[in-house]
Amino acid sequence: MAAMTSMARDSDVHITYDDQQKINRFARCNARHGDVKEELKFKENDLKNLQDAEDEMMMTLDSDEKVPFMVGEVFIMKTQDEAQEAIGSQREGLQDDISNLNTRASELQDTMTQLKGDLYAKFGNNINLEPEEE
């Protein structure tokens, strides 16, 4: 019976408006963090594809040969030097995007860690903020 009373008291934790705001903020940060991580994967894949394309172009083509280069939905012919320059500028843009996404993911993770600490301190085992295993 004493165990029942202890469990009842543990489950009767009062949730204030500020607590609910922290829970909501954690949920928003967690969702954004997932979105940022997914976008980061796509950008890193694009960067790898650019590197592979550049390597392939340098190995298989003569320096005076023109290569098709995709701009939007259209291919245009560029010299190998022009294509390398365009790939280089795209690579720089992707690296900047990846850096910004990593910074954003880190900021979100820091915010979530702080909120987790606050919420676990108040609610203990009555709240679960850990990611689900897939």
Side-chain angles (χ1 to χ4, degrees):
M1 194 69 150
M4 258 325 229
T5 311
S6 174
M7 285 177 59
R9 275 184 281 175
D10 287 346
S11 64
D12 287 343
V13 176
H14 180 69
I15 299 175
T16 66
Y17 177 78
D18 288 336
D19 296 333
Q20 187 62 49
Q21 293 305 314
K22 285 181 181 179
I23 292 167
N24 292 344
R25 185 170 177 214
F26 179 87
R28 284 190 307 271
C29 286
N30 193 32
R32 285 186 200 130
H33 188 261
D35 292 344
V36 167
K37 286 296 191 182
E38 190 171 319
E39 188 175 351
L40 192 56
K41 284 181 191 176
F42 287 124
K43 297 283 184 180
E44 288 172 343
N45 188 42
D46 288 347
L47 187 62
K48 183 185 178 306
N49 288 341
L50 277 178
Q51 185 61 47
D52 291 347
E54 187 175 34
D55 292 346
E56 188 70 26
M57 184 177 63
M58 290 179 8
M59 288 189 317
T60 60
L61 299 175
D62 294 332
S63 60
D64 59 346
E65 230 178 307
K66 289 197 173 207
V67 295
F69 192 83
M70 188 171 198
V71 177
E73 295 180 7
V74 178
F75 284 97
I76 59 172
M77 298 304 284
K78 290 189 175 210
T79 65
Q80 190 172 1
D81 290 338
E82 291 171 334
Q84 283 179 328
E85 190 176 310
I87 288 173
S89 84
Q90 285 182 349
R91 184 185 315 114
E92 287 175 14
L94 281 172
Q95 288 170 335
D96 289 344
D97 291 347
I98 288 170
S99 175
N100 292 338
L101 288 170
N102 279 323
T103 300
R104 181 69 179 136
S106 177
E107 290 169 353
L108 289 168
Q109 187 64 49
D110 291 346
T111 301
M112 289 182 346
T113 300
Q114 177 63 41
L115 291 169
K116 255 189 205 184
D118 293 348
L119 292 167
Y120 276 127
K122 179 162 185 180
F123 298 109
N125 292 334
N126 292 325
I127 191 166
N128 181 11
L129 302 173
E130 299 305 318
E132 293 180 7
E133 297 294 324
E134 292 182 23

